[in-house]
Amino acid sequence: MKKITINKILKKKNKSPIACLTAYSKNTAKVADKYCDIILVGDSLGMVLYGMKTTRDVKIETMILHATAVKRSTKKSLVIFDMPYGTYPNKFIAYKNAKNVIKLTKCDAIKLEGGTKIVNIIKYLVKKKIPVMGHIGLMPQTSKKFKVKGKNLFQKNQILKDALAVSKSGAFAIVLECVVEDLAKTITKKILIPTIGIGASKYCDG
């Protein structure tokens, strides 16, 4: 069972589907590892496991505990750590937290929510050898209402702009969450890195 690398994920673009699931625990991770290319330790655990109303209350210490358990229980999948709200307000704090996360959990990469506003942070982390997955569209850490994104022209243009900016910043993949089908298709065609869809149509790479 060969370990999935970021290069292998990049090579799957437009060639073969990428399987990605979320796991918060040892038992789920062990099952998912048999079938997935990527396992995301998502901050959604705040709502799913702890009954929080949003992901904004999730602490990095909690994420580290769950991510460590998931990473220990996987052999093949690329394991991504979802950086919680407030842990990357600027590139220096982002690097300090991300470096500590990678050291403690041994995760393979981190995920950040945001488009054009966090491009400089992504560039800095990548320069410092921290692999980054982006996340645009519906962004639970900052969205006040959980609604499908990209229904109007303004939203479509902004999300496309976000996608292009993140893809050029050095991120190796982008999560597209709850965006309309035609926009997901357009973004997937236009950018050179894989798109991972959460409620974003069959046109995503994963």
Side-chain angles (χ1 to χ4, degrees), residues 20-196:
C20 177
L21 288 174
T22 299
Y24 312 124
S25 66
K26 167 190 169 183
N27 294 336
T28 309
K30 275 190 171 182
V31 175
D33 192 44
K34 296 176 184 177
Y35 307 101
C36 289
D37 300 300
I38 299 171
I39 292 176
L40 172 67
V41 186
D43 62 359
S44 51
L45 62 81
M47 301 165 82
V48 176
L49 298 182
Y50 294 99
M52 296 175 184
K53 291 184 178 180
T54 73
T55 61
R56 290 169 70 107
D57 296 324
V58 176
K59 302 298 182 187
I60 196 167
E61 293 82 6
T62 305
M63 289 295 301
I64 287 170
L65 285 173
H66 286 272
T68 302
V70 169
K71 181 62 179 173
R72 281 177 184 157
S73 308
T74 59
K75 295 178 180 179
K76 176 180 70 73
S77 305
L78 196 76
V79 180
I80 314 294
F81 185 101
D82 201 0
M83 295 293 284
Y85 177 75
T87 61
Y88 49 101
N90 61 57
K91 64 183 183 180
F92 302 111
I93 293 175
Y95 176 61
K96 179 184 177 182
N97 285 326
K99 184 181 178 182
N100 191 47
V101 159
I102 299 293
K103 179 183 176 182
L104 293 175
T105 68
K106 306 295 188 292
C107 283
D108 302 296
I110 63 162
K111 182 175 75 67
L112 304 180
E113 290 185 17
T116 55
K117 292 179 181 179
I118 66 162
V119 162
N120 288 335
I121 296 173
I122 297 173
K123 286 180 179 178
Y124 187 76
L125 292 176
V126 172
K127 184 180 177 182
K128 292 287 191 177
K129 310 298 184 187
I130 305 281
V132 178
M133 172 185 276
H135 183 146
I136 60 172
L138 174 63
M139 294 180 280
Q141 290 179 5
T142 52
S143 293
K144 293 181 180 179
K145 294 181 180 179
F146 283 23
K147 290 186 176 181
V148 176
K149 303 293 183 180
K151 286 186 174 181
N152 60 59
L153 187 60
F154 174 79
Q155 280 189 358
K156 280 186 179 180
N157 288 338
Q158 183 58 55
I159 294 169
L160 179 56
K161 189 177 178 182
D162 286 340
L164 292 168
V166 171
S167 68
K168 291 175 182 176
S169 69
F172 69 89
I174 300 180
V175 170
L176 299 181
E177 182 167 357
C178 289
V179 300
V180 293
E181 188 171 280
D182 63 326
L183 179 58
K185 186 177 183 180
T186 298
I187 290 171
T188 302
K189 281 186 174 182
K190 279 186 176 286
I191 67 174
L192 298 176
I193 60 175
T195 56
I196 308 297

